[in-house]
């Protein structure tokens, strides 16, 4: 059977499916659970300069086909995650730091610190939708450009961008231009669909308290949007010589979902909502289902299927 081995920015991964930042990855014990699971990498919660309690509760709600959340970046502050990266080294899995600035200047400090850490890759989150009064940076090309100019000067570990969903090819082309100009090695798409609203008709209130109920939509609802974003970036970067790895995320809960992302061109995928629902056993199950599909279809390796979506 084809083993679903892959790599991101040249860093090998033993399988295709690992955890998305933000789900059960804030505390050290949670990261150890991921380390002890079949996840081929250990992704950490997006961290800020200072520790944060996050938004008021309720800030997470299950929906029939996914979830809505407005956590507000609860995290222990970057210094803890630097220490965690050292303590996680013994698991011999790539460690991925995720950094989120509350101010554009924060990104330089955060990236510099993780460049000197035991993390193997750094995912730069330019798309958190859940901070009151802050917009998603990756929707603003000139703000993003300033940050990339700063962070790409520092260190040698591969940098990636966590991107929001784009709904127009021109916006993806604009972001791709920036990514090509700077030394960005991977992208993760997509973050949750920001500013969604779930209403409880019984109580006549939003399901969430922060931001007047607005939160990031996750799960099945967003899979087609995520696939569209992965595919369009795959097409755009396919025209270039420089390889930018693409990590897909959004509504993956089965091997068949992961296979769709592989066909669209994803080099690896992350699991958020399904990990929250099922726990860390999801990584083994989904990867096994994916390998089964590859085997049944006669693919000998991942590359034979990667990006090979056939147009009608
Ligand atoms: C949070 C949400 C996100 O979508 C993200 O990328 C980072 C943090 C949060 O609310 O904690």
């Amino acid at each position: 059977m084809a083993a679903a081995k892959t790599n991101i920015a040249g860093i090998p991964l033993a399988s295709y499916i690992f955890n998305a930042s933000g789900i059960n990855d804030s505390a050290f014990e949670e990261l150890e659970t991921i380390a002890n699971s079949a996840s081929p990498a250990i992704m950490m919660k997006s961290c800020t300069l200072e520790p944060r309690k996050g938004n008021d509760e309720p800030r997470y709600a299950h929906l029939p086909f996914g979830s809505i959340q407005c956590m507000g970046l609860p995290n222990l502050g970057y210094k803890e995650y630097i220490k965690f990266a050292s303590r996680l080294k013994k698991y011999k899995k790539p460690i991925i730091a995720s950094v989120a600035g509350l101010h554009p200047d924060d990104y330089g400090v955060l990236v510099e610190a993780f460049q000197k850490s035991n993390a193997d890759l750094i995912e730069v989150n330019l798309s958190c939708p859940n901070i009151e009064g802050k917009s998603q940076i990756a929707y603003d090309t000139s703000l993003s450009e300033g940050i990339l100019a700063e962070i790409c000067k520092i260190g040698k570990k591969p940098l990636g961008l966590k991107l929001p969903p784009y709904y127009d090819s021109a916006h993806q082309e604009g972001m791709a231009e920036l990514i090509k100009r700077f030394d960005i090695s991977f992208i993760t798409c997509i973050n949750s669909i920001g500013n969604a609203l779930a209403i409880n008709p019984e109580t006549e209130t939003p399901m969430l308290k922060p931001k007047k109920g607005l939160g990031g939509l996750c799960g099945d609802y967003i899979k087609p949007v995520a696939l569209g974003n992965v595919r369009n970036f795959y097409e755009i970067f396919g025209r270039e010589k420089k390889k930018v790895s693409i990590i897909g995320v959004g509504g993956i809960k089965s091997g068949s979902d992961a296979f769709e992302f592989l066909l669209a061109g994803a080099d690896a995928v992350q699991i958020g909502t399904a990990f929250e629902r099922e726990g860390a056993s999801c990584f083994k199950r989904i990867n096994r289902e994916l390998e089964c599909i590859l085997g049944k279809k006669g693919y000998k390796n991942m590359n034979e299927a990667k990006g090979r979506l056939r147009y009608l």
Side-chain angles (χ1 to χ4, degrees), residues 119-290:
D120 299 279
L121 295 153
I122 305 170
E123 191 177 87
V124 179
N125 190 343
L126 298 184
S127 51
C128 176
N130 295 341
I131 305 295
E132 188 98 54
K134 306 261 178 208
S135 53
Q136 293 171 80
I137 293 167
Y139 286 140
D140 180 333
T141 316
S142 65
L143 190 53
S144 300
E145 181 173 0
I147 291 171
L148 294 189
E150 205 47 52
I151 61 176
C152 291
K153 291 191 299 216
I154 318 164
K156 294 228 160 28
K157 293 186 202 288
L159 291 182
L161 302 182
K162 176 91 173 251
L163 296 175
Y166 292 103
Y167 304 99
D168 190 298
S169 278
H171 297 161
Q172 281 187 279
E173 295 276 359
M175 182 44 79
E177 273 311 309
L178 278 187
I179 289 166
K180 282 182 254 169
R181 269 179 44 218
F182 293 99
D183 198 9
I184 294 298
S185 309
F186 68 97
I187 56 171
T188 304
C189 42
I190 56 173
N191 208 322
S192 56
I193 295 183
N195 300 304
L197 177 63
I199 293 176
N200 180 341
E202 293 298 320
T203 56
E204 305 181 12
T205 63
M207 290 195 179
L208 304 181
K209 178 157 186 206
K211 280 189 75 179
K212 296 184 173 163
L214 299 183
L217 186 66
C218 306
D220 300 5
Y221 301 104
I222 76 169
K223 192 180 89 176
V225 180
L227 281 167
N229 272 254
V230 167
R231 184 64 189 177
N232 209 16
F233 274 121
Y234 182 82
E235 295 267 10
I236 294 169
F237 292 132
R239 305 196 294 256
E240 307 299 318
K241 284 210 187 68
K242 190 189 142 203
K243 164 89 177 146
V244 178
S245 299
I246 302 175
I247 304 172
V249 52
I252 298 160
K253 61 180 187 190
S254 69
S256 179
D257 295 328
F259 182 64
E260 290 174 32
F261 276 83
L262 179 67
L263 289 176
D267 294 286
V269 296
Q270 299 174 347
I271 312 289
T273 303
F275 175 31
E276 195 273 333
R277 294 280 160 90
E278 181 179 338
S281 59
C282 71
F283 303 112
K284 191 176 210 163
R285 175 183 64 76
I286 299 172
N287 202 61
R288 207 174 29 210
E289 288 173 8
L290 173 63

Side-chain angles (χ1 to χ4, degrees), residues 61-126:
H62 292 294
L63 298 178
F65 300 102
S67 58
I68 185 167
Q69 48 80 25
C70 192
M71 305 300 287
L73 278 166
N75 76 94
L76 302 168
Y78 79 104
K79 289 183 183 154
E80 283 303 302
Y81 296 96
I82 300 240
K83 289 187 213 152
F84 291 174
S86 309
R87 292 170 66 195
L88 291 166
K89 208 67 206 159
K90 65 175 184 203
Y91 291 99
K92 299 194 175 7
K93 289 182 176 184
I95 298 163
I96 312 175
S98 171
V99 297
L102 295 178
H103 184 276
D105 293 344
D106 296 354
Y107 283 94
V109 181
L110 292 165
V111 168
E112 182 159 20
F114 280 104
Q115 282 290 0
K116 294 180 191 147
S117 77
N118 277 309
D120 299 279
L121 295 153
I122 305 170
E123 191 177 87
V124 179
N125 190 343
L126 298 184

